[in-house]
Each structure stands twice: as structure tokens, then as C-alpha cells.
Amino acid sequence: MNHLEALDAYFTSKREEHLNELKDFLRIPSISALSEHKEDMQKAAEWLKDSFKNAGLENLSIDETDGHPVVYGDWLHAEGKPTILFYGHYDVQPVDPLNLWESGPFDPEVRDNKLYARGASDDKGQVFMHIKAVEALMNENGSLPVNVKFIIEGEEEVGSPNLEKYIEENKEKLAADIIIISDTGMYGPGKPAICYGLRGLAGVQIDVKGAKGDLHSGIYGGGVQNPIHAISEILASFHDQEGTISVEGFYNDVRPLADEEREAYRALNFDEEALKEEIGVNELFGEKGYSYLEQTWTRPTLEVNGVFGGFSGEGIKTVLPSEAGAKITCRLVPDQDPEDIVKKLRAHIEKHKPAGVTVTVTEFDKGKPFITPFDHPAIQAAGKSYEKVYNVPTAFTRMGGSIPIVAAFDEILNLPVVLMGFGLSSENFHAPNEHFHLENFDKGLRVIGDYYYELAGFSKEDLRK
């Protein structure tokens, strides 16, 4: 029996046990953005530490930060073999609106071979798979083919504000030959993909203040600036009619898309009609001159994520509100800098600020974009492991989303990053009814286990090129 057959037998025999364990993990409401879940964050960290121990990892610790803790564990007895640093996160997004969930967000339920719960896909399910791959290899062989280090944080969903400092302070502890992250997705059902590029992020909140309090719209309307009108005017100024961002200098540092990449994306034969049906729109909209994949993988964006102000209850209230605001995020591409983009946003907002209001801009999440050569041996080896299990070629793609800490790993530890995900874009992460296709859970366990063997065939020098 070869190692892939052994892995298959092990995971088949343990499937229900593993699913029940994952459900226990998913029941913990580890929402990092909400302070009332601080104890749940600690509970999730303790759960991970116990899971590390059961898998055979050593040197376990729950490392405190200025926010939520980082959980660490390792196994370092494969002499002369490469060392893998695996990163993931145990925090999850808030669950609102709760009424749209078909089952409780923290009451895991399997329907149609999909596991429904907040965190099922992003990122607890994928973290769990790596732990179980280690456990399988330890149970089968009593050892691992490579050295491993695990670092699982609790603040990814709020921008990882404390992890960069943690990495800086623990360079020696985190020293490795490659970094593996499973917080990305596949190209489509049955279509594995290695992500070699991520967009960065810059987020701000715009607050508009008018009168000192709400005013009667009949008495004051027409003579006093309405903050909702003002915020609407600012937001409308961000794009032209064709979707191009109008902020001065916004595109200055955007790296042009290589012809080879454009050709590779065309070869994927992306089905825009199927996408429209899947998300329920009759037309796609975006920057002219670029395909949908190019727009969402390689071009920057400026999106309004929320608008607030005035009365929105049942019926009508004839009020002229004193305040209004909006939250916006920009997805950035190589070689854009989040700090520079925020400065340009501030200048644009100041230039387009209507009379009669004061405007405040508050900065939030920031993260640099990331890109790495997709011909790196560690990335190509991951593609081979996917192909053994899925029996189809692996696509090499970029991703429209952001994992802000990836660029920090790249810059601080100077290591190649392998983004091998098992989620699907249709799995509602960050939305109600988040779920994880169990087909990819099952196959992903085998892919990860095989990948450790693939990496064992490389020297450290090969992987650090």
C-alpha cells in the first residue's frame, strides 16, 4: 500500500469522527470583531491547543498579543528535511443578518453533503484539515516526512492588527523553508487551483456632520445641508459612469497585466453566463477593457460597503438628519501601497466635500497586495498533489480577496508562500449560510497529506530559491 492509499484508508475510517470534531470547533462563536465574544476566542484557542496535542504536535503554546491570542505548535524531528510553517485563523465573521440563516450559524448541520456553519469554509474547516493530515501521518508512521510549525491567529477577520508584531518578535521561532496557507479557494467544483496572487486592502469610514441635532425637514429643509445628500455626493464622485475609479492618481502604480497571464486566464474558459445565474444578476459591470477574471483578480477596486444615516424604520419620519456616513474598502494590486491610497482618498474627499458639513475620515483595515512566481517548485509540487487526488490539471490563479498578513510573512520571513485552498466562491463565507462542500473536505485531506510527502523530496535550498 502506497502512502496515498494509506491516507485514503485512514480518512475513510475516521470520517464521521473527524466531522464530529470539526462540528465541535464550529460551535464556538469565535467572532473577533465583537468584544462580547472574548471568552469564546479564548475557548477556541484552547480547543486548538488540545487538537494540536492530539495530533502529535509539540511545544504547544497560546501566545498572548494585544488582542486575541496566537496558537502555536510544532514537530521538528525530520532531520535534514524542509520545515513547513502553516498559517490559518480561528476567528470568524459576525453572523448578521441572523434571519437569513437556514440553520443556526453555530449549530453545524450537514445538508446535501455540505457542512453549514459560520467558519466552515473560512477558515476553521481548512485549518482543521491540516491538523488532521498531521494526525493521520503520525498515526500511520509515528513521524512526519517533513518538519512542521503551526501558527493559528484569532484576528484575521479584523485585519490581523497584532500579528505582524508577533512575527517580528518571533522570527527564530517561526523560521521555516516555506509557508502554507489554506484560506483561499478552488477555481470551481472539481477544479483545484493554486493562488499565486492576492489583492491588498485599504478601508476607511467617512462621517459627515451637519447640524448639532436632527432637524424638522419642513422647517429647515431647503435651507440647511442634508448630510445624507452630502455623503451621496461624495460617494458618487468616486467612479465615472463606466465604473472607472475617479480618484486622482489611483491607478498610478498599478502593475500592468502580463500577456502570458491574460492568455492563461482566457484558457480557463470562465463562464460569465453561469456566474450571472449563480449570483442572481442580469448583467455584469466593471472596468472597461478587462474580462471578469482580470477585473476581480488583477485590477484595483473602490467599493461602498455600507451607508448609514437618518430614519430607516417602518413608515416615514420627516427628519433632516444631523449625521450620515459610509464605509468603503479598496482592493489593491501590485505595486499599490495602502498608505498612499488612503492619502489619495483623503485628498479626493476633501476636494469633493459639499458645503455646510464637516467630514471626518477614519482609517481601518490595511494590507499590502501579494504576488509570487507560480513556477516555484513548492507551488508546482502542490499542483501535483491536487492532480493525484482530483485527476484534473491544477489551475494557477490570482484571487480577488485579501489576506493582509501574507505580504508581511513574505517581507519579514522572506519565504515562499503557497496558497492552497479548498473552498468555493459560492460557499457564502462572510454571508449567511456559509458552508463547506464535504467533497473538498474529503479530497483536501488526502491532498495535504500527499503534499507533505512531495515536499520531503526537496532540499531546503531548492525551496528557498
Side-chain angles (χ1 to χ4, degrees), residues 200-204 328-332 338 341-342 345 364-367:
L201 183 67
V204 302
I328 69 171
T329 51
C330 301
R331 301 289 175 169
L332 310 179
I341 291 299
V342 169
L345 290 175
F364 287 107
D365 294 355
K366 290 197 193 82

Side-chain angles (χ1 to χ4, degrees), residues 428-443:
N428 287 10
F429 37 85
H430 293 210
N433 300 310
E434 179 180 349
H435 56 279
F436 192 19
H437 284 68
L438 292 181
E439 176 189 3
N440 294 325
F441 174 77
D442 294 329
K443 290 183 176 180

